[in-house]
Amino acid sequence: MAKSYGNLWPQFASWDNLTLASRRCRRRKRFKRGAIAFDFGWESNLLTLQRELDGGTYEPGPYRHFFIRDPKPRKISAAPFRDRIVHHAIVNVLEPLFERRFLHDSYACRRGKGTHRALDRAQHFLRRHSFVLQTDIQRFFPNVDHEILLDLLKRTIVDHRLLDLVSKIVASGEGIFDDETPRTWFPGDNLLDILRPTGLPIGNLTSQFFANVLLDPVDHFIKEQLRIPGYVRYADDLLLFADEKKVLWSAAEKVVRFLATLRLRLHSQKTVVHASQHGVKYLGFRLKPNGRRLAQQSVRRMRSRLRQQQRLFSAGEIDCCDVSRSLQAWLAHCHTANTTGLINDLLRGVRFHRSPGN
């Protein structure tokens, strides 16, 4: 029986938690227009936000939408800066409560985890097992069912004020993807079922956290009921490891049925079984039992990013510090792979020049 927690509102709405959330929200955003506007008189703005939360008058603001095509086409929905403070404040309080039950081998958006830990763990299982099943959940964020997510949250959170606020945040994602995501029918559905509100905005910190809450039962099902010996999940990308193909294909069929209870589907065209010795492409790398390289797609993305930064630098829209931060982040991402020659080749001849007048 999962433990539940009440009386969380005082901790959530405390000045200390809101100022901590504000600081965390400002990281890498301090020069963005919304952050600058909020910081101009931040104490007064934060106090106003606290009063709205305590008074029950707070309402999420409108999202700003834009599309990215790297590594795949996705619609990103950016919340106003003050809403992002609320998101951080919610996660500050809820994350420790759920972290206690999350499985070790879930790696996205968790402290002490991340991409490189997921890659290390996947490589560990490639060495130990003969086969790996790779799959992901079809259009996960657009298809998150609000009612199912809130039911899972209510098993742990019994503070009604905080639940009402979380419900507002979840409801703010309704309709964001309606123009691009067809409704999915499941066995036994009626018209009301097919019209249930769905969708979590990609870009919200809360969305990343809610994804782990929603998929945690899947993690436990795979490890504790199917008893798959090796498992790694990063967001909605799953790897299952075993020594027989039939074990993995059987597991895939059972995961499909379990996901249907959450109104989610595996991506059938991306569900494949590889021999471990041949490796697997995962999180931008080509992994093999005893080595890893950057996937070609990752290299193409970096070449494109460098060209874009050269254009922005030439136009005076970014400076040397911006270029350096981006490059250092990418080099840190690459450092665990055999990439020295590739990096030298990629950076050879790259020059940044200002256009006249900039």
Side-chain angles (χ1 to χ4, degrees):
M1 186 71 177
K3 184 177 180 180
S4 58
Y5 299 86
N7 197 33
L8 297 172
W9 186 266
Q11 179 186 355
F12 160 75
S14 70
W15 183 256
D16 286 345
N17 187 42
L18 292 176
T19 52
L20 174 62
S22 178
R23 287 198 302 272
R24 288 179 171 172
C25 192
R26 289 173 72 249
R27 292 174 184 171
R28 301 181 182 178
K29 302 287 185 182
R30 62 182 304 177
F31 299 116
K32 299 290 185 180
R33 183 178 301 174
I36 293 171
F38 194 90
D39 278 353
F40 187 75
W42 73 271
E43 287 182 311
S44 175
N45 290 330
L46 198 61
L47 184 60
T48 299
L49 179 60
Q50 185 184 44
R51 287 171 177 164
E52 289 180 16
L53 291 166
D54 274 329
T57 61
Y58 166 81
E59 294 291 339
Y63 287 95
R64 178 175 59 88
H65 306 291
F66 58 95
F67 288 87
I68 63 171
R69 290 171 175 78
D70 183 9
K72 59 185 178 181
R74 289 187 300 173
K75 184 177 185 178
I76 306 297
S77 301
F81 185 79
R82 73 196 306 264
D83 289 350
R84 295 202 294 271
I85 293 175
V86 175
H87 300 168
H88 275 266
I90 290 172
V91 173
N92 287 348
V93 173
L94 296 188
E95 187 177 51
L97 310 183
F98 285 86
E99 183 66 29
R100 299 167 188 174
R101 70 190 61 175
F102 288 164
L103 286 188
H104 173 79
D105 285 321
S106 159
Y107 287 88
C109 302
R110 295 177 65 191
R111 297 182 189 278
K113 301 288 186 175
T115 304
H116 292 142
R117 294 287 178 88
L119 293 168
D120 290 343
R121 189 65 165 164
Q123 203 162 18
H124 165 78
F125 287 131
L126 283 173
R127 298 187 189 106
R128 291 173 62 93
H129 300 289
S130 301
F131 297 98
V132 52
L133 182 144
Q134 182 172 26
T135 188
D136 67 23
I137 298 172
Q138 189 170 25
R139 297 193 61 77
F140 172 71
F141 283 103
N143 286 317
V144 168
D145 185 286
H146 292 183
E147 183 178 329
I148 292 173
L149 172 62
L150 290 171
D151 283 345
L152 286 171
L153 289 166
K154 288 174 184 177
R155 297 177 188 180
T156 298
I157 310 166
V158 294
D159 185 304
H160 295 296
R161 295 180 73 186
L162 191 55
L163 273 174
D164 288 345
L165 176 61
V166 167
S167 297
K168 284 184 180 180
I169 301 297
V170 172
S172 71
E174 183 178 356
I176 283 179
F177 299 101
D178 281 356
D179 57 342
E180 57 185 85
T181 303
R183 295 287 179 167
T184 302
W185 287 87
F186 289 87
D189 274 355
N190 57 38
L191 185 59
L192 291 178
D193 292 322
I194 202 67
L195 295 177
R196 289 156 67 120
T198 61
L200 289 181
I202 301 173
N204 280 4
L205 176 67
T206 46
S207 295
Q208 313 302 319
F209 171 69
F210 292 153
N212 281 334
V213 172
L214 184 59
L215 293 179
D216 181 58
V218 181
D219 299 339
H220 285 274
F221 175 74
I222 290 172
K223 288 296 295 181
E224 295 166 6
Q225 296 190 42
L226 300 185
R227 297 188 179 276
I228 295 299
Y231 175 63
V232 175
R233 179 176 66 79
Y234 190 94
D236 60 329
D237 292 319
L238 287 65
L239 296 178
L240 286 70
F241 301 82
D243 292 317
E244 297 181 67
K245 279 187 177 182
K246 64 180 182 181
V247 170
L248 293 175
W249 284 121
S250 174
E253 293 174 3
K254 293 170 183 174
V255 171
V256 166
R257 291 196 291 270
F258 186 86
L259 281 173
T261 67
L262 302 175
R263 302 187 66 79
L264 296 170
R265 295 180 187 271
L266 286 186
H267 200 303
S268 59
Q269 295 180 340
K270 296 183 179 178
T271 301
V272 293
V273 173
H274 306 280
S276 294
Q277 63 179 340
H278 296 148
V280 63
K281 190 169 74 172
Y282 194 57
L283 303 179
F285 288 81
R286 168 61 69 177
L287 292 181
K288 289 193 174 183
N290 296 306
R292 71 179 71 164
R293 293 181 178 273
L294 273 178
Q296 285 300 312
Q297 189 178 29
S298 298
V299 177
R300 287 194 296 269
R301 287 203 302 270
M302 190 56 195
R303 290 188 192 278
S304 176
R305 188 179 306 168
L306 282 171
R307 288 194 295 268
Q308 181 187 34
Q309 289 184 332
Q310 285 176 307
R311 289 193 296 269
L312 293 174
F313 186 85
S314 177
E317 297 181 31
I318 61 174
D319 58 22
C320 293
C321 291
D322 296 318
V323 174
S324 177
R325 278 195 295 268
S326 175
L327 198 55
Q328 290 300 322
W330 185 72
L331 292 174
H333 178 64
C334 297
H335 84 278
T336 59
N338 182 14
T339 55
T340 303
L342 172 64
I343 290 171
N344 290 338
D345 181 63
L346 188 63
L347 298 181
R348 187 180 296 116
V350 174
R351 298 290 184 270
F352 288 84
H353 302 286
R354 291 286 195 203
S355 296
N358 292 316

